[in-house]
Amino acid sequence: MAVMDNVAIDHRTKAYRIGSAYITPVIDGDALHSIGRISIHGVPVRGESVRFLPWFDTLNGDLFHRFRLNRIEHNDDRLVFHTTAISNPDVIFRRERDSSGDEVFRNHSWDTEPLDMRFRIVMESARETIDGVVFDGIRYWFEFESDDISLHRILDRQTWELGGTVDDLRVCIRNWSHAPMVRLNKETAFSTGGLVESFAVAFPGNLWARWSMMPAFDFQYRSGVGVLAAWYDDVSLIRNLVESSAGEDVLRCMDMHFFEKNVAGRTNPKSVMFAPKAVANDVDAANLWTRLYDREQIRSRKALGIRLDEDPPRVMLSENHWVRFHPDHSYDKALETAAEFGVDTLFIDPIWENEQTVHEMIQDWVPPAERHEIENMYISNMCATLDYRISRHRGGPDAYRRLVDRAREMNVNVITWGATHISSRSTYFTARDSDRPVHNAFAQKESGRHPDTGYPGECWPVNLHSSLKERIQRDLHHALEDTGLHGFLWDSFSNLGWWHIDYADGTLRPQFREMADLYASFVNKGYYIRPEALVAFSNHSGLGMAAGNLYPPGLLATYSYNTEISLSFEDEADIIRGRTSCDLLFHWFANRHPPSIHVQRVPRDDWDEEAVAKLKRWIHLYKACRADMVRRTILDNCTGILWEGNGSVHVWVLAPMSSPADHAVDRESGEEASQLSPFRVYELKGYRGQYAGEYDS
């Protein structure tokens, strides 16, 4: 390996080749200004207008973003920048805050000598084949070492633009504030964290975490050029934002990695990979995106100990009253409707002791004439859990067992709500470990006094490094076993649990693995868990939010793959009333996306017979086919969705098409057809084609 010491200014334009990639760093004297321009197979994958260089800090506010280049190691497959990272002492505030929750001045002079630590940027050549498509590129990470400086977080500041520009670049990132596939140009404003004018302003920040709301991989493509994708070695806490402002010609990708006060360590390696001319059109790209999605789901499940054979997405009917409900009578209509439509699962209100049950109990006990003071007191809703024991006010375990028994007689399962957040008034906060204080029971800000809520409400996330993790796990398991409930919707999965860090005891331990461990403890026992997020390792993600809920018919609907995201009640009601087409729902079912429905909320007299009949048919078809819906392929021009699995091949037809097989049998009528009609499902007998390979039924 060649070693170059005493780097001089004439190296600023030198290109280093590793595998099929060329990296041209920007060096100014002895300073590494940017990792610079990168090309793979001669195609630029990022421009040069914005620096590619990390930024990191300590909890005390030491900020590092300058790098003195000491030497470069290079051979055909590896490139290492050995640097000394130098802090900026002219930072007034520290990261750690006091009991006021305000920013705190750092206790040092702004003219003190800067700190320094050893920092390496390591890049290796990489190659991987996915579904026959060969990707080449780089795998890179950052390494740090110090005798006494403990890092808190490293921000990997990157830009990636296949072809070196955002013009006519298509970006496929399933997120909650933008459509999942966007065609960019220099005037496009794009953000995965929520634009100011969107619904996202109601939620905290824009650093959503990968694997729990942001995807496990990035994907962009340019027609005639190829695909650029990126993924990671392991599952870790990476809070991420991908965005571009109008007028920019870059796509900024920010990955923030967190550390447990480490004096040495490295970031989770990231691979940035290019497949030349891998896709000819948008459909090809969506198919390759599907293969990457499936691959990353399997990898993350293996890494987190989650069973690989989790049930496919279920058909659900939701009935949440929020106030004054009881299992003996509040869900009768919903249960009858669920059975009528053939749905799998009825989703009901929380069964736990919560602030809403307390509010109702007080109202029942206090005469109306004496409630004036109570009415001046704010009490939160049913999401603010007091204890994961079943509310006696709602009838206790016996009442819910009766509901579950009635549902099972109708072939319907029942699920409720669950979470790892609780009311700030809960007695859970009095649970004390032998060697830890009471306030350590919830996730906190750096002060050790303020909850790291992740939500503008009364719900405080539990510190899953405390004994409360085991208590909540035990209580939830016991309640499910005691009532026969099939599982629960995991409320606020991403922003009330996954990304939190244990600031309380100063370890800065992330708790995402504790969240994943809880998830696995239920799923591996066969319980149905529906995370309220876009979770990479789940088949049951139930939240798209804002623009993410739309997924209109056609190509965009294919990106709703493998979820249970609902329509808004208003949009669903228009479909049930026959005011708008129900074709969208067929597109969703075809892509293994059964929506959670609320048809019982529309008066039966308003039901459109044709729309309701179609929905019932499609639910029946989906349930009959879903076990065989394993490997998805979108057909040319999005005329249909082909599924392979368990020795069979089916096609969900979206537009008139000729049969791709000698024998196509209608799943409902049993008749053979050579011309396939839209909004029907056919089994293909003896199918051999470009999608099914050598499969022969």
Side-chain angles (χ1 to χ4, degrees), residues 626-645:
R626 66 185 170 199
D628 299 329
M629 295 170 71
V630 178
R631 187 181 192 270
R632 183 186 75 161
T633 301
I634 306 155
L635 300 183
D636 291 343
N637 300 313
C638 214
T639 54
I641 309 296
L642 185 141
W643 287 95
E644 302 166 69

Side-chain angles (χ1 to χ4, degrees), residues 141 150 248 321:
W141 64 91
S150 300
E248 280 190 301
H321 296 278

Side-chain angles (χ1 to χ4, degrees), residues 67-82:
F67 299 86
R68 184 174 65 242
L69 185 55
N70 301 321
R71 69 182 192 275
I72 297 173
E73 294 183 40
H74 174 237
N75 65 24
D76 289 344
D77 296 307
R78 184 178 172 91
L79 177 65
V80 183
F81 298 97
H82 292 264

